[in-house]
Amino acid sequence: MSDLTFYTNPQSRGRIVRWMLEEVGATYDTKIVSYGPEMKGPDYLAINPMGKVPTIQHGDTVVTECAAICAYLADAFPAAGLAPALDKRGEYYRWLFFAAGPIEAAVTDKTLQAVPTPEQRGFVGYGCFENVMANLEQHLAKNRYFCGDTFTAADIYAGSQIAFGLMFKTFEARPAFTDYVARIHDRPAFKRASELDDAAMAAAAAG
């Protein structure tokens, strides 16, 4: 038994954390949590009171929220080199939390047709969807990864947001986005993680 347990469902944001786990080379146990009564049941709520996946438990430490899990694992497994040195973490932290905040909120609001009016933009952290997309596009058009030429946990988390956006067509297929996603999805760890989650989906479908 590993001291790291990964609670997930292959049809969830848990795919982001699976990729992160494969990148850091951690030994971990996987617990597939079904939607419905199991995910909202007392046993799982004792681990994650939100009743959502993913969650990791590393020894006595429980971490929820994808961005937090990615940041934690980068620090817990420093040999993987997925977090820059502390004095070079400005862009790293910026893009991790830009993805967890403005990107997530802007895309959700647009999808739900809850777009703020020009007069309301000062009340929301992201301002407007168009500015979020332009900010992302400008950065990725000039940089191979979010932290320049160095692949980090920010690429796993923020990059997954972009990849999901292209898949579900909540992002325009701009060259800066499609080229970037092609680069990060060419990594062996991403391919291993995808194979593991696809196999888990097939097993669940088979009963």
Side-chain angles (χ1 to χ4, degrees):
M1 293 287 289
S2 169
D3 69 344
L4 199 164
T5 302
F6 171 43
Y7 297 90
T8 188
N9 186 291
Q11 292 181 292
S12 76
R13 290 176 175 84
R15 296 181 81 99
I16 301 172
V17 173
R18 172 83 77 179
W19 179 11
M20 184 71 195
L21 288 164
E22 291 299 314
E23 287 281 358
V24 300
T27 299
Y28 61 95
D29 297 319
T30 301
K31 304 289 186 184
I32 302 296
V33 185
S34 300
Y35 286 107
E38 183 180 9
M39 199 174 290
K40 301 298 183 182
D43 290 344
Y44 187 65
L45 288 176
I47 299 166
N48 184 342
M50 287 293 288
K52 293 187 175 183
V53 290
T55 299
I56 64 165
Q57 184 165 4
H58 189 204
D60 295 328
T61 300
V62 174
V63 190
T64 69
E65 315 314 317
C66 284
I69 295 170
C70 288
Y72 173 85
L73 289 172
D75 287 341
F77 297 90
L82 291 174
L86 190 58
D87 63 349
K88 296 181 179 179
R89 288 197 183 184
E91 290 286 84
Y92 173 74
Y93 285 135
R94 174 194 177 191
W95 292 108
L96 270 175
F97 295 107
F98 188 84
I103 293 176
E104 177 86 16
V107 170
T108 299
D109 284 357
K110 187 171 187 291
T111 302
L112 296 178
Q113 299 182 353
V115 178
T117 65
E119 294 75 21
Q120 294 171 327
R121 290 175 182 175
F123 291 91
V124 295
Y126 63 86
C128 69
F129 178 86
E130 291 75 17
N131 284 353
V132 170
M133 293 296 110
N135 196 357
L136 267 179
E137 182 179 29
Q138 289 165 13
H139 187 74
L140 292 176
K142 297 184 295 184
N143 294 278
R144 183 168 179 80
Y145 301 114
F146 277 106
C147 295
D149 290 329
T150 304
F151 180 88
T152 69
D155 294 290
I156 295 173
Y157 181 69
S160 292
Q161 296 275 32
I162 298 169
F164 290 153
L166 293 172
M167 179 188 304
F168 294 113
K169 302 189 185 307
T170 55
F171 273 54
E172 292 179 8
R174 303 177 187 181
F177 298 155
T178 56
D179 292 350
Y180 168 73
V181 168
R183 281 197 297 277
I184 62 173
H185 280 187
D186 196 42
R187 294 180 67 83
F190 172 79
K191 295 175 182 179
R192 286 197 306 273
S194 296
E195 288 171 1
L196 288 167
D197 278 326
D198 290 347
M201 285 178 61

